[in-house]
Amino acid sequence: MQGSERSSCSSLLDPGIGLLCWEGHDLVATSQSSHHHQVIPSSTSQDCEKPYFICDVCNGTGSSWCCEPCDFDICSACEVRQSQFSSHLRKVQECLERGEKLLAAASTSHSSCSNRQQAMEQFRACIQTLDSNDIRPHNHTEFCANKRLALAEHLYALERRQDAQMQQEIALEIYENKYGQDHLKCQQVRAQIVAALEQVNLVDVHFTNGNRLFYETQGYDQALEEYKASLRLCEQQNRQQAAIVVAQRHCCIARTLYQLKQYDHAVEACQLAVAVLNVLPAEQQDPNAQRQVQKLHESLLHLQTYNNNHLHKTEEDARQASSGGGRDTNLLGVSVSFLRTTFLAQVIAAGFTEHSRINELEDLDRKVGMGVIRQMGANQVSPADGEMGASFVHCLRGNDVGRANYMLSYSWSYSVGDIIRTLDQFCKQKDRDPNHTYIWLCCLCVNQHRVAEQAENRKTGLPVLGKVDFFAEFGERVTSIGHVIAMMTPWDQPLYLGRVWCLYEFHQALQCKCQLSVAMPPTQIEKLKRDLLGQDSRGISMLYEALGNTRVQDAKASVESDRLAILGIIQVSPGYTALNHRVNEFLRTWVKGAITEVVDSQTDTNDSAYAKFCTQIGHLWMEHGELKEALRQFRIALAITVSVGGSREAAAACHNDMGKVLVLLGKEDDALRDHHRALSIYQDLFGLNHVLTASCHSLIGVALCHKCHFDKALDAHRQTLSVFEEKLGEFHEKTAETHDNIGEVFRHQGNYDAATKSHEKALSIRKGVLGPDHVLTAASHGNVGLALMLKIVEDPLLCDGGDRESYYSKACEHHERALAIYESALGSNHVDYAKSLSRMGSLQSCMGNFEAAKEMIESALSIQESVLGARHVDTAESYFKLGSAYYNAGDLAASQREFHRAHAIYVSTLGTWHQQTTTCRHYCEMVAKAGSLAKTSKSLGGK
């Protein structure tokens, strides 16, 4: 282009993007008339200083950007539109280059799978851009066709054949429109498409047919031929991934030979796969593929030895094995060692992995063939009924089988690897020898041949002969074995609790008073530790959520008739609610034991890290309602902090933690002593007007309030409020909390108007700072409602007229708002929702709505017993409220019963002389006297 001057060619929209023509060439700006492209008649342009050309975009005229290679011109008016197109072309090119680099790195990187996935994401972005509306009008250009062909080549490398062929077909259409169907480029693309289709027909179709025959119909002879045909064609190809594909085909042949009981040939085939991968250059090796092939090789070697040994058994050995060898065949279990070695090897040899689920290994609904479990005994006579087809456990010999020590209660949706690792970990924890620890698992110990026959007969309408009575099977096994292992995973939302058969086994264990243990895979044990102790975790609240969602009536089963039958048994005894509570109570006990194990597993117990650990455990116990254990952990943390010369601030925090627990235990004097020690430290470190010092005054105020020293408590809280307002501002959550604390003092003092005012101030701040739907805002609503309710109950100046109704209406409004927030934010099974519901029930009782009151409080109790347990302070408080409701309704016997329940819990959790315990005891005595007077009055009236 003689005499033309190149400009920066920058887009008006994006200065960093140069203009491109439709074919992807850089455009140049012309300022002289030497351009040899189309020129409009000179009569039109004779008065113009700049040359004018016809724009190939809009057919208009104007100063031109032009491309010499492809005779393309564009006027300045179309430049903006062209710049958008240019940006898309550059994006296609950049994504393509990034994808090519990632694909190249996949052959050398240890994270080849990740690189291939990232490369695919880049290629997918290319396709989306090419198919976008902004670039579609130009999609007929050769540039787009070339990029689509490049994409197709990479997609073939990623085994995305369908996507690759689609890109080839679009490119072919572009070339045909541009050059005609007989052009050389069109012929080349057609040849590529045909070659790809032939490649699929010759390699992948054989492989797909082999998989279908192997997995679906178990036609192993035909599958072997298909795999061999695929292997022969694979070895003829010269592709970068050919070696890995060849190794894969050798593995398929090895698995098929194993199923045909050609154990030696199976090992040889797998050794060929190992050899193929080992000779690859370092940059082409795939560590993941090598690990999988090596694991299969090890499994086949183990099974070769195992099965060859069994072939040398005498006929007498076989006869004794099939008859159970004089043992009770119904109670035989599989050794943990066998599961860990031979059974896992059988699973891998069958084409599965340790991540495969039990219901994948043995699909009882499959029309043709058998799974891994049924294949084991397909050609053996069952010692239980004399029919062909034995259970898996009846095919085992020697130390692999023995009388079951434990019954595993689990879900068929658990993975094989998780089950084996759980049992292995259980043996380590119990110091048991895996070679002589025998487990009864329903998948291996119940005859699955009979189960499948029974299911098929039901479907076809044939008589169900030799019926398997699952209820008898499980009931007898639980009772006879005497120890059930409940497998929980994941720990915070166990699948176990959602399966009705698991809960039935749990129910049977409880009914028979068998020993019950919980076991988890090691990964879940570590996750439990992280979730309970992690700084950013939700900790114990995750357990509470899981317990709150336990509902046996919602549990599932693969057979609906089984589910209904089990629910019918449970509903009769002990009932849904009772079983839910028993399950949750057991799980709470288990978590306590898990926390204790976490504590005992710590080795270095004399440094600041362990002190911090003890503090975390103390907070867990405190949330769990185990106040004495919490206090012990806080004292250990303090002792270590002092002995190792830890920070004084950490020591002050320990004193405050101890003080909080002591207040809950009713030991206010001890609590004040600890809070004052913390206050002294904070004052020395930070001075009088520091936030931590003020927080210490607040804790002192809480303790003084519990001692009924209300004036001193108010002084302490007001001192806190002054500092918070100065340091944090009037509108801060800490300031709102202090207003609530002041309101609580007024409430205990009987000054309900002042209490209401303070709580309303806290509510106003929280609405502004946290929002109207925050749980702390709900807490303030509840506090206002409680103050108004107490005003109704205890203020003698309120008559039964409008004032009383007005206070009731306001209190009801606040409690309802609190309930709505808790339900929305936490759910209707949360303990905070239950506590609010219990308060609402008390309000209804005060207003004479006794039925509504009892219904609300009983609903709250159901949640609290399920989530917190029957021996928790909050549960006792609801029993106390229920007793008050019965008393107000005139049912003294029921009132005394509920007060006694509350008193028993208070004694066990808080002690005999705690304020709440003595108050409850006073009410018990009051109701007893009222009952005695009522009997005397009735007796005198009768005379």
Side-chain angles (χ1 to χ4, degrees), residues 125-126 176 259 273 334 388 392 426 431 447 458 465 494 537 547 566 652 739 775 813 826 851-852 866:
C126 285
E176 288 177 344
Q259 296 298 333
V334 185
M388 184 61 72
F392 189 100
F426 182 81
D431 196 24
N447 193 326
R458 280 203 189 100
L465 302 175
S537 71
L547 298 183
I566 291 172
H739 281 294
V775 290
E813 181 182 336
L826 305 174
E851 291 304 318
S866 179

PDB file of all heavy atoms in Angstrom, residues 125-126 176 259 273 334 388 392 426 431 447 458 465 494 537 547 566 652 739 775 813 826 851-852 866:
ATOM      1  N   ALA A 125     -15.238 -20.874  25.873  1.00  0.00           N
ATOM      2  CA  ALA A 125     -15.398 -19.422  25.739  1.00  0.00           C
ATOM      3  C   ALA A 125     -15.233 -19.005  24.281  1.00  0.00           C
ATOM      4  O   ALA A 125     -15.936 -18.094  23.789  1.00  0.00           O
ATOM      5  CB  ALA A 125     -14.363 -18.699  26.614  1.00  0.00           C
ATOM      6  N   CYS A 126     -14.313 -19.653  23.538  1.00  0.00           N
ATOM      7  CA  CYS A 126     -14.148 -19.380  22.103  1.00  0.00           C
ATOM      8  C   CYS A 126     -15.438 -19.657  21.352  1.00  0.00           C
ATOM      9  O   CYS A 126     -15.898 -18.848  20.527  1.00  0.00           O
ATOM     10  CB  CYS A 126     -13.036 -20.253  21.526  1.00  0.00           C
ATOM     11  SG  CYS A 126     -11.379 -19.732  21.957  1.00  0.00           S
ATOM     12  N   GLU A 176     -17.661 -23.722   1.943  1.00  0.00           N
ATOM     13  CA  GLU A 176     -18.515 -23.994   0.772  1.00  0.00           C
ATOM     14  C   GLU A 176     -19.193 -22.717   0.278  1.00  0.00           C
ATOM     15  O   GLU A 176     -19.312 -22.487  -0.937  1.00  0.00           O
ATOM     16  CB  GLU A 176     -19.555 -25.058   1.126  1.00  0.00           C
ATOM     17  CG  GLU A 176     -18.967 -26.454   1.263  1.00  0.00           C
ATOM     18  CD  GLU A 176     -19.998 -27.489   1.684  1.00  0.00           C
ATOM     19  OE1 GLU A 176     -21.080 -27.088   2.167  1.00  0.00           O
ATOM     20  OE2 GLU A 176     -19.720 -28.691   1.548  1.00  0.00           O
ATOM     21  N   GLN A 259     -12.945 -61.950  35.449  1.00  0.00           N
ATOM     22  CA  GLN A 259     -14.320 -62.435  35.544  1.00  0.00           C
ATOM     23  C   GLN A 259     -14.471 -63.809  34.903  1.00  0.00           C
ATOM     24  O   GLN A 259     -15.324 -64.600  35.313  1.00  0.00           O
ATOM     25  CB  GLN A 259     -15.275 -61.435  34.881  1.00  0.00           C
ATOM     26  CG  GLN A 259     -15.333 -60.075  35.551  1.00  0.00           C
ATOM     27  CD  GLN A 259     -15.825 -60.147  36.976  1.00  0.00           C
ATOM     28  OE1 GLN A 259     -16.577 -61.042  37.360  1.00  0.00           O
ATOM     29  NE2 GLN A 259     -15.395 -59.186  37.806  1.00  0.00           N
ATOM     30  N   ALA A 273      -0.289 -53.153  30.788  1.00  0.00           N
ATOM     31  CA  ALA A 273      -0.746 -51.770  30.979  1.00  0.00           C
ATOM     32  C   ALA A 273       0.273 -50.972  31.779  1.00  0.00           C
ATOM     33  O   ALA A 273       0.584 -49.817  31.450  1.00  0.00           O
ATOM     34  CB  ALA A 273      -2.102 -51.745  31.683  1.00  0.00           C
ATOM     35  N   VAL A 334     -18.164 -61.162  58.159  1.00  0.00           N
ATOM     36  CA  VAL A 334     -16.975 -61.072  57.311  1.00  0.00           C
ATOM     37  C   VAL A 334     -15.889 -60.349  58.095  1.00  0.00           C
ATOM     38  O   VAL A 334     -16.162 -59.338  58.761  1.00  0.00           O
ATOM     39  CB  VAL A 334     -17.300 -60.298  56.017  1.00  0.00           C
ATOM     40  CG1 VAL A 334     -16.100 -60.299  55.083  1.00  0.00           C
ATOM     41  CG2 VAL A 334     -18.510 -60.906  55.328  1.00  0.00           C
ATOM     42  N   MET A 388     -29.802 -73.241  44.858  1.00  0.00           N
ATOM     43  CA  MET A 388     -28.647 -72.660  44.183  1.00  0.00           C
ATOM     44  C   MET A 388     -28.667 -71.143  44.374  1.00  0.00           C
ATOM     45  O   MET A 388     -29.688 -70.490  44.267  1.00  0.00           O
ATOM     46  CB  MET A 388     -28.696 -72.993  42.692  1.00  0.00           C
ATOM     47  CG  MET A 388     -27.483 -72.503  41.916  1.00  0.00           C
ATOM     48  SD  MET A 388     -25.934 -73.239  42.518  1.00  0.00           S
ATOM     49  CE  MET A 388     -26.106 -74.931  41.933  1.00  0.00           C
ATOM     50  N   PHE A 392     -23.064 -64.038  50.033  1.00  0.00           N
ATOM     51  CA  PHE A 392     -21.628 -63.786  49.897  1.00  0.00           C
ATOM     52  C   PHE A 392     -20.856 -64.414  51.055  1.00  0.00           C
ATOM     53  O   PHE A 392     -19.825 -65.061  50.854  1.00  0.00           O
ATOM     54  CB  PHE A 392     -21.401 -62.263  49.859  1.00  0.00           C
ATOM     55  CG  PHE A 392     -20.009 -61.848  49.501  1.00  0.00           C
ATOM     56  CD1 PHE A 392     -19.694 -61.440  48.215  1.00  0.00           C
ATOM     57  CD2 PHE A 392     -18.988 -61.856  50.446  1.00  0.00           C
ATOM     58  CE1 PHE A 392     -18.407 -61.062  47.870  1.00  0.00           C
ATOM     59  CE2 PHE A 392     -17.702 -61.477  50.124  1.00  0.00           C
ATOM     60  CZ  PHE A 392     -17.405 -61.078  48.819  1.00  0.00           C
ATOM     61  N   PHE A 426     -12.429 -48.278  63.537  1.00  0.00           N
ATOM     62  CA  PHE A 426     -13.108 -48.809  64.726  1.00  0.00           C
ATOM     63  C   PHE A 426     -12.236 -49.866  65.406  1.00  0.00           C
ATOM     64  O   PHE A 426     -12.120 -49.891  66.632  1.00  0.00           O
ATOM     65  CB  PHE A 426     -14.458 -49.400  64.323  1.00  0.00           C
ATOM     66  CG  PHE A 426     -15.263 -49.933  65.468  1.00  0.00           C
ATOM     67  CD1 PHE A 426     -16.011 -49.087  66.262  1.00  0.00           C
ATOM     68  CD2 PHE A 426     -15.265 -51.290  65.763  1.00  0.00           C
ATOM     69  CE1 PHE A 426     -16.757 -49.579  67.327  1.00  0.00           C
ATOM     70  CE2 PHE A 426     -15.997 -51.793  66.818  1.00  0.00           C
ATOM     71  CZ  PHE A 426     -16.748 -50.934  67.606  1.00  0.00           C
ATOM     72  N   ASP A 431      -8.831 -51.435  69.776  1.00  0.00           N
ATOM     73  CA  ASP A 431      -7.662 -52.310  69.916  1.00  0.00           C
ATOM     74  C   ASP A 431      -8.032 -53.761  69.600  1.00  0.00           C
ATOM     75  O   ASP A 431      -7.698 -54.697  70.341  1.00  0.00           O
ATOM     76  CB  ASP A 431      -7.092 -52.211  71.339  1.00  0.00           C
ATOM     77  CG  ASP A 431      -5.673 -52.796  71.423  1.00  0.00           C
ATOM     78  OD1 ASP A 431      -5.004 -52.843  70.380  1.00  0.00           O
ATOM     79  OD2 ASP A 431      -5.276 -53.212  72.524  1.00  0.00           O
ATOM     80  N   ASN A 447     -28.971 -63.152  51.953  1.00  0.00           N
ATOM     81  CA  ASN A 447     -28.870 -63.761  50.626  1.00  0.00           C
ATOM     82  C   ASN A 447     -29.525 -62.850  49.588  1.00  0.00           C
ATOM     83  O   ASN A 447     -30.750 -62.806  49.456  1.00  0.00           O
ATOM     84  CB  ASN A 447     -29.538 -65.136  50.621  1.00  0.00           C
ATOM     85  CG  ASN A 447     -29.188 -65.937  49.374  1.00  0.00           C
ATOM     86  OD1 ASN A 447     -29.015 -65.390  48.285  1.00  0.00           O
ATOM     87  ND2 ASN A 447     -29.094 -67.252  49.544  1.00  0.00           N
ATOM     88  N   ARG A 458     -42.604 -60.126  42.888  1.00  0.00           N
ATOM     89  CA  ARG A 458     -43.608 -59.109  43.208  1.00  0.00           C
ATOM     90  C   ARG A 458     -43.986 -58.326  41.956  1.00  0.00           C
ATOM     91  O   ARG A 458     -45.139 -58.006  41.729  1.00  0.00           O
ATOM     92  CB  ARG A 458     -43.067 -58.152  44.266  1.00  0.00           C
ATOM     93  CG  ARG A 458     -43.125 -58.682  45.688  1.00  0.00           C
ATOM     94  CD  ARG A 458     -43.120 -57.524  46.674  1.00  0.00           C
ATOM     95  NE  ARG A 458     -42.955 -57.988  48.038  1.00  0.00           N
ATOM     96  CZ  ARG A 458     -41.805 -57.969  48.703  1.00  0.00           C
ATOM     97  NH1 ARG A 458     -40.726 -57.513  48.105  1.00  0.00           N
ATOM     98  NH2 ARG A 458     -41.726 -58.401  49.942  1.00  0.00           N
ATOM     99  N   LEU A 465     -42.214 -67.108  46.918  1.00  0.00           N
ATOM    100  CA  LEU A 465     -41.837 -68.309  47.650  1.00  0.00           C
ATOM    101  C   LEU A 465     -40.514 -68.086  48.363  1.00  0.00           C
ATOM    102  O   LEU A 465     -39.662 -67.337  47.896  1.00  0.00           O
ATOM    103  CB  LEU A 465     -41.729 -69.494  46.692  1.00  0.00           C
ATOM    104  CG  LEU A 465     -43.016 -69.820  45.895  1.00  0.00           C
ATOM    105  CD1 LEU A 465     -42.731 -70.920  44.896  1.00  0.00           C
ATOM    106  CD2 LEU A 465     -44.145 -70.205  46.834  1.00  0.00           C
ATOM    107  N   PRO A 494     -25.905 -36.777  58.903  1.00  0.00           N
ATOM    108  CA  PRO A 494     -25.693 -38.177  58.516  1.00  0.00           C
ATOM    109  C   PRO A 494     -26.814 -38.698  57.621  1.00  0.00           C
ATOM    110  O   PRO A 494     -27.997 -38.522  57.919  1.00  0.00           O
ATOM    111  CB  PRO A 494     -25.689 -38.911  59.868  1.00  0.00           C
ATOM    112  CG  PRO A 494     -25.450 -37.859  60.896  1.00  0.00           C
ATOM    113  CD  PRO A 494     -26.052 -36.608  60.355  1.00  0.00           C
ATOM    114  N   SER A 537     -15.689 -21.856  61.908  1.00  0.00           N
ATOM    115  CA  SER A 537     -16.745 -22.844  61.725  1.00  0.00           C
ATOM    116  C   SER A 537     -17.967 -22.477  62.566  1.00  0.00           C
ATOM    117  O   SER A 537     -17.926 -21.642  63.446  1.00  0.00           O
ATOM    118  CB  SER A 537     -16.248 -24.226  62.143  1.00  0.00           C
ATOM    119  OG  SER A 537     -16.102 -24.270  63.556  1.00  0.00           O
ATOM    120  N   LEU A 547     -29.700 -32.413  64.740  1.00  0.00           N
ATOM    121  CA  LEU A 547     -30.611 -33.033  65.704  1.00  0.00           C
ATOM    122  C   LEU A 547     -32.027 -32.492  65.544  1.00  0.00           C
ATOM    123  O   LEU A 547     -33.003 -33.224  65.676  1.00  0.00           O
ATOM    124  CB  LEU A 547     -30.113 -32.781  67.129  1.00  0.00           C
ATOM    125  CG  LEU A 547     -28.737 -33.366  67.476  1.00  0.00           C
ATOM    126  CD1 LEU A 547     -28.412 -33.090  68.928  1.00  0.00           C
ATOM    127  CD2 LEU A 547     -28.700 -34.846  67.198  1.00  0.00           C
ATOM    128  N   ILE A 566     -42.249 -50.438  58.743  1.00  0.00           N
ATOM    129  CA  ILE A 566     -41.368 -50.012  59.838  1.00  0.00           C
ATOM    130  C   ILE A 566     -41.981 -48.848  60.606  1.00  0.00           C
ATOM    131  O   ILE A 566     -41.969 -48.827  61.849  1.00  0.00           O
ATOM    132  CB  ILE A 566     -39.983 -49.634  59.281  1.00  0.00           C
ATOM    133  CG1 ILE A 566     -39.265 -50.884  58.785  1.00  0.00           C
ATOM    134  CG2 ILE A 566     -39.135 -48.934  60.351  1.00  0.00           C
ATOM    135  CD1 ILE A 566     -37.975 -50.600  58.052  1.00  0.00           C
ATOM    136  N   ALA A 652      -7.048 -12.639  81.764  1.00  0.00           N
ATOM    137  CA  ALA A 652      -8.278 -11.913  82.107  1.00  0.00           C
ATOM    138  C   ALA A 652      -9.473 -12.524  81.406  1.00  0.00           C
ATOM    139  O   ALA A 652     -10.557 -12.660  82.001  1.00  0.00           O
ATOM    140  CB  ALA A 652      -8.128 -10.441  81.726  1.00  0.00           C
ATOM    141  N   HIS A 739     -28.161  -1.681  77.076  1.00  0.00           N
ATOM    142  CA  HIS A 739     -29.538  -1.255  77.377  1.00  0.00           C
ATOM    143  C   HIS A 739     -30.397  -2.463  77.759  1.00  0.00           C
ATOM    144  O   HIS A 739     -31.236  -2.379  78.667  1.00  0.00           O
ATOM    145  CB  HIS A 739     -30.145  -0.539  76.164  1.00  0.00           C
ATOM    146  CG  HIS A 739     -29.705   0.886  76.024  1.00  0.00           C
ATOM    147  ND1 HIS A 739     -30.051   1.865  76.941  1.00  0.00           N
ATOM    148  CD2 HIS A 739     -28.960   1.509  75.061  1.00  0.00           C
ATOM    149  CE1 HIS A 739     -29.532   3.023  76.559  1.00  0.00           C
ATOM    150  NE2 HIS A 739     -28.860   2.838  75.428  1.00  0.00           N
ATOM    151  N   VAL A 775     -31.544 -11.787  64.268  1.00  0.00           N
ATOM    152  CA  VAL A 775     -31.935 -12.583  65.436  1.00  0.00           C
ATOM    153  C   VAL A 775     -31.766 -11.806  66.738  1.00  0.00           C
ATOM    154  O   VAL A 775     -32.519 -12.024  67.700  1.00  0.00           O
ATOM    155  CB  VAL A 775     -31.133 -13.906  65.485  1.00  0.00           C
ATOM    156  CG1 VAL A 775     -31.558 -14.846  64.388  1.00  0.00           C
ATOM    157  CG2 VAL A 775     -29.635 -13.655  65.416  1.00  0.00           C
ATOM    158  N   GLU A 813     -47.827  -8.736  70.247  1.00  0.00           N
ATOM    159  CA  GLU A 813     -47.254  -8.242  68.990  1.00  0.00           C
ATOM    160  C   GLU A 813     -45.731  -8.442  68.962  1.00  0.00           C
ATOM    161  O   GLU A 813     -45.164  -8.895  67.955  1.00  0.00           O
ATOM    162  CB  GLU A 813     -47.597  -6.768  68.822  1.00  0.00           C
ATOM    163  CG  GLU A 813     -47.076  -6.147  67.534  1.00  0.00           C
ATOM    164  CD  GLU A 813     -47.416  -4.666  67.442  1.00  0.00           C
ATOM    165  OE1 GLU A 813     -48.391  -4.226  68.093  1.00  0.00           O
ATOM    166  OE2 GLU A 813     -46.689  -3.942  66.728  1.00  0.00           O
ATOM    167  N   LEU A 826     -33.731 -18.839  61.400  1.00  0.00           N
ATOM    168  CA  LEU A 826     -33.136 -20.052  61.969  1.00  0.00           C
ATOM    169  C   LEU A 826     -33.933 -21.314  61.706  1.00  0.00           C
ATOM    170  O   LEU A 826     -33.393 -22.412  61.799  1.00  0.00           O
ATOM    171  CB  LEU A 826     -32.972 -19.881  63.489  1.00  0.00           C
ATOM    172  CG  LEU A 826     -32.183 -18.651  63.948  1.00  0.00           C
ATOM    173  CD1 LEU A 826     -32.223 -18.546  65.468  1.00  0.00           C
ATOM    174  CD2 LEU A 826     -30.745 -18.715  63.469  1.00  0.00           C
ATOM    175  N   GLU A 851     -55.605 -23.540  76.635  1.00  0.00           N
ATOM    176  CA  GLU A 851     -55.355 -24.561  75.614  1.00  0.00           C
ATOM    177  C   GLU A 851     -54.263 -24.118  74.651  1.00  0.00           C
ATOM    178  O   GLU A 851     -53.373 -24.888  74.293  1.00  0.00           O
ATOM    179  CB  GLU A 851     -56.654 -24.885  74.869  1.00  0.00           C
ATOM    180  CG  GLU A 851     -57.691 -25.616  75.698  1.00  0.00           C
ATOM    181  CD  GLU A 851     -57.138 -26.910  76.287  1.00  0.00           C
ATOM    182  OE1 GLU A 851     -56.417 -27.645  75.565  1.00  0.00           O
ATOM    183  OE2 GLU A 851     -57.420 -27.194  77.463  1.00  0.00           O
ATOM    184  N   ALA A 852     -54.364 -22.854  74.218  1.00  0.00           N
ATOM    185  CA  ALA A 852     -53.331 -22.322  73.322  1.00  0.00           C
ATOM    186  C   ALA A 852     -51.980 -22.303  74.017  1.00  0.00           C
ATOM    187  O   ALA A 852     -50.939 -22.614  73.406  1.00  0.00           O
ATOM    188  CB  ALA A 852     -53.703 -20.923  72.858  1.00  0.00           C
ATOM    189  N   SER A 866     -35.693 -32.559  71.745  1.00  0.00           N
ATOM    190  CA  SER A 866     -35.054 -33.153  70.576  1.00  0.00           C
ATOM    191  C   SER A 866     -33.657 -32.607  70.354  1.00  0.00           C
ATOM    192  O   SER A 866     -32.723 -33.355  70.074  1.00  0.00           O
ATOM    193  CB  SER A 866     -35.915 -32.903  69.334  1.00  0.00           C
ATOM    194  OG  SER A 866     -35.328 -33.446  68.187  1.00  0.00           O
TER     195      SER A 866
END
